[in-house]
Amino acid sequence: GTRTKSVDVERADSGIGQMPARKWRNRASETLSSLQAWEAHRPCTDCGERDLPVETDVQNCNQRRADLCEKCRKRRTERKESVLEFVNTEASYGEDLRIIKEEFYLPMQAAGLLSQEQLQGIFSNIQELIDLNENFLEILQEEIDQAFDQGDDDLMTVCIGEIFLEFVNMLPAFQTYCLQQSSSVNMLNALEKEKELLRIFLNVSQNDNTALRRMNLRSFLMAPLQRVTKYPLLLSRIIKATTEYHPDHGSLREAKSRIESHLEHINMKTKQEGNTWTLRSFRQDSKKKREVINIEMRETALKTVGWLREETRFVMEGSLQLAQPPDGQWVKKGSKTLKFQNMQVLLLVNMKRVSESSLESAEPGPVKDAVLVLIRDKNNGKFHLLREPLRLSNCIVSTDPDCDDTFELIEIRREAFVFRDSDRARTHHWFRQIRRYSRELGSWKKRRNALPNIMISTPHTRP
């Protein structure tokens, strides 16, 4: 310690006069102002634009936020608010579920007001919804706490979409509840008329139990329906405030798409059962329509392949045009000579899960199998398979440069299919995805040399 001090003293008295010191200070301030000028023009870390304001307020000149332009700073604030709104409303919903159980179900059960069968009829699968909410909320809260602990005050590391997709099993649980809602309300009405003690209990609860906020049992029983219809709106707000480069952007869109499809599916089921009520319907714009997953089709596809739901990934799905060329001459004549029919196509991948925590991690486990399921939409609304699924391990996928609005899929046993989408870019996207999995599984590679060259058509394959 003492040696350092003596060195410091020597430095201080090392003959630098006041004039050079002043010049040095001037140069330093010039350097500082040019650095500040450069700072003002450096790109925003979120959007890459170079219109950052010069930070004058010292308190605001915090490095994390100084790298952002005004627009992105505002967007981050909106994103944080939307994320917190999602989590806080999930907690409030959980509180309402707890009230249903603690203040209605258990007292009614303990007092013997209703039989177990009647309770089941009114409260449906409420316990399943409680368990799911508790687990979902716990993960959400952990993510928020972890972000704050790591100094991420904007909650940019919190991925709501990813977490939501891990809890997609919530959606069938909501479906069960929603579809029983009509009969449970009817049963409650009938029992209330019939049983005086039940009527008294419900009246006293509503008027005297402060936990109920003067709301009746029917209002609380609506909580799951209100929650499930609120998800798309809450997710939309987060999507709007999340830049497309954010790692959660794709998962958020997928989560919103899944929930919307489930709501449509629930509405369809309620109509089929002759009920008059429906959940609020979600209209899609034409671009979104393509992305919306039809749950009926997924159920049909899963049933057909017989895989476990948690090991199945739906990579792509949507409408494609399909033709089966009678001979190999179609390429020369072009796709105009082919007769195309509209078909719903699903690309399913069966994979081993890497970790227990994530069902749809960015790096999934090894692919065990991949298939294309081809479904025809019949007039009566029931889906029918065109044929058994096409196993990509037995297929070769190729394109031809002269006919770039289609691609061909040839099964090793020589059945050929030509596919196209009305949108050329999307045709190419389908081609790349299908080719990727057919190559990855690649049992055909072993037999590749035994196949006629025309079937491989390497020079024609899109890079």
Side-chain angles (χ1 to χ4, degrees):
T2 50
R3 270 181 75 186
T4 318
K5 274 182 186 163
S6 66
V7 171
D8 286 345
V9 170
E10 273 174 42
R11 267 199 210 123
D13 300 330
S14 60
I16 296 178
Q18 283 191 335
M19 282 300 286
R22 199 175 296 130
K23 267 185 190 167
W24 179 84
R25 272 203 299 275
N26 288 345
R27 202 166 298 133
S29 68
E30 278 170 30
T31 310
L32 187 65
S33 61
S34 66
L35 268 173
Q36 283 172 338
W38 175 82
E39 279 276 290
H41 290 282
R42 77 197 181 289
C44 164
T45 52
D46 275 14
C47 68
E49 294 289 325
R50 291 180 176 270
D51 61 347
L52 270 77
V54 180
E55 232 6 303
T56 48
D57 185 347
V58 179
Q59 284 179 321
N60 276 351
C61 200
N62 141 350
Q63 189 57 42
R64 180 181 50 78
R65 289 211 152 224
D67 291 342
L68 299 171
C69 68
E70 195 54 48
K71 197 171 79 177
C72 289
R73 197 177 301 186
K74 198 174 163 204
R75 182 195 272 175
R76 280 197 177 197
T77 305
E78 282 167 9
R79 188 178 183 279
K80 179 183 177 176
E81 284 169 2
S82 306
V83 166
L84 289 174
E85 182 189 16
F86 188 99
V87 180
N88 294 338
T89 52
E90 188 66 29
S92 304
Y93 159 64
E95 188 55 32
D96 283 350
L97 292 181
R98 196 196 60 74
I99 287 172
I100 293 173
K101 184 183 175 180
E102 306 283 333
E103 310 295 336
F104 290 107
Y105 181 90
L106 292 176
M108 283 158 77
Q109 188 184 43
L113 289 177
L114 297 176
S115 70
Q116 202 51 46
E117 202 179 319
Q118 290 166 333
L119 287 168
Q120 171 65 40
I122 290 171
F123 294 98
S124 187
N125 62 329
I126 202 80
Q127 188 57 53
E128 185 186 11
L129 292 175
I130 289 171
D131 295 342
L132 285 164
N133 166 264
E134 281 176 0
N135 295 337
F136 188 36
L137 199 53
E138 190 184 344
I139 302 285
L140 290 169
Q141 299 279 20
E142 269 173 24
E143 287 283 311
I144 301 276
D145 295 344
Q146 196 180 336
F148 282 136
D149 289 348
Q150 291 171 348
D152 172 19
D153 292 344
D154 288 333
L155 305 181
M156 291 301 281
T157 54
V158 176
C159 293
I160 296 281
E162 215 173 272
I163 301 168
F164 194 99
L165 290 177
E166 282 183 31
F167 281 87
V168 282
N169 57 335
M170 288 194 302
L171 302 181
F174 274 113
Q175 181 173 312
T176 302
Y177 187 89
C178 292
L179 293 176
Q180 286 188 23
Q181 178 66 14
S182 198
S183 60
S184 72
V185 167
N186 290 342
M187 182 181 265
L188 179 61
N189 292 342
L191 289 168
E192 223 182 335
K193 278 179 193 157
E194 190 186 306
K195 294 178 180 284
E196 195 186 355
L197 281 177
L198 175 66
R199 208 162 50 241
I200 292 166
F201 167 76
L202 292 175
N203 279 332
V204 169
S205 298
Q206 186 179 345
N207 295 321
D208 299 351
N209 185 342
T210 51
L212 303 191
R213 315 188 291 277
R214 300 189 78 79
M215 278 160 57
N216 61 21
L217 174 56
R218 271 176 212 77
S219 306
F220 281 102
L221 290 175
M222 288 299 286
L225 279 76
Q226 287 160 348
R227 185 62 189 164
V228 79
T229 50
K230 190 103 188 277
Y231 282 134
L233 181 68
L234 293 167
L235 289 167
S236 286
R237 283 182 196 160
I238 301 173
I239 292 167
K240 198 176 165 194
T242 302
T243 163
E244 62 188 278
Y245 309 113
H246 192 283
D248 197 36
H249 194 267
S251 298
L252 283 165
R253 291 182 74 85
E254 166 75 354
K256 180 171 180 264
S257 189
R258 290 246 186 138
I259 185 71
E260 284 175 339
S261 310
H262 256 277
L263 293 171
E264 292 294 356
H265 183 60
I266 292 167
N267 279 342
M268 190 186 75
K269 289 266 192 199
T270 33
K271 275 182 203 146
Q272 281 174 1
E273 288 172 20
N275 291 329
T276 48
W277 71 273
T278 55
L279 294 172
R280 189 163 66 81
S281 190
F282 294 87
R283 290 287 144 253
Q284 310 302 327
D285 55 52
S286 57
K287 192 176 164 197
K288 194 85 178 88
K289 226 173 220 163
R290 240 196 242 122
E291 294 166 24
V292 169
I293 300 114
N294 190 310
I295 291 146
E296 290 275 291
M297 283 201 308
R298 282 192 164 203
E299 284 174 359
T300 305
L302 260 184
K303 219 173 281 174
T304 308
V305 294
W307 298 343
L308 289 173
R309 191 180 289 270
E310 59 270 22
E311 287 185 358
T312 304
R313 196 154 151 247
F314 293 85
V315 179
M316 281 192 81
E317 50 214 335
S319 182
L320 275 181
Q321 293 178 330
L322 172 145
Q324 288 181 271
D327 54 42
Q329 297 303 305
W330 74 273
V331 176
K332 291 188 181 73
K333 296 173 194 163
S335 58
K336 289 183 181 69
T337 60
L338 295 173
K339 220 176 118 189
F340 282 92
Q341 55 177 317
N342 286 326
M343 194 66 51
Q344 293 295 334
V345 181
L346 294 91
L347 170 56
L348 277 69
V349 175
N350 189 2
M351 45 193 23
K352 282 200 162 66
R353 285 167 54 195
V354 175
S355 67
E356 282 304 304
S357 64
S358 175
L359 297 188
E360 306 207 3
S361 55
E363 285 299 320
V367 174
K368 289 195 285 186
D369 206 351
V371 297
L372 271 193
V373 179
L374 310 176
I375 296 178
R376 269 197 298 242
D377 194 355
K378 278 284 173 70
N379 295 336
N380 62 4
K382 285 267 185 289
F383 289 112
H384 295 278
L385 294 176
L386 175 74
R387 62 189 306 291
E388 76 272 14
L390 287 158
R391 301 212 166 267
L392 294 191
S393 54
N394 296 336
C395 294
I396 293 151
V397 195
S398 60
T399 57
D400 187 285
D402 301 329
C403 205
D404 75 339
D405 62 338
T406 57
F407 62 92
E408 186 175 26
L409 186 138
I410 303 175
E411 263 191 307
I412 279 170
R413 66 160 191 260
R414 305 294 168 86
E415 197 174 357
F417 297 89
V418 177
F419 290 100
R420 71 178 182 198
D421 190 281
S422 50
D423 175 52
R424 188 171 295 197
R426 207 168 153 76
T427 304
H428 294 172
H429 186 50
W430 271 101
F431 164 69
R432 284 193 299 269
Q433 289 281 21
I434 293 170
R435 183 184 59 174
R436 177 191 154 194
Y437 288 106
S438 72
R439 281 181 173 179
E440 207 166 313
L441 289 156
S443 62
W444 60 271
K445 284 183 202 162
K446 299 177 194 121
R447 290 173 249 182
R448 181 174 183 150
N449 297 330
L451 292 165
N453 287 335
I454 193 163
M455 288 186 72
I456 309 288
S457 65
T458 328
H460 296 319
T461 305
R462 189 178 303 285

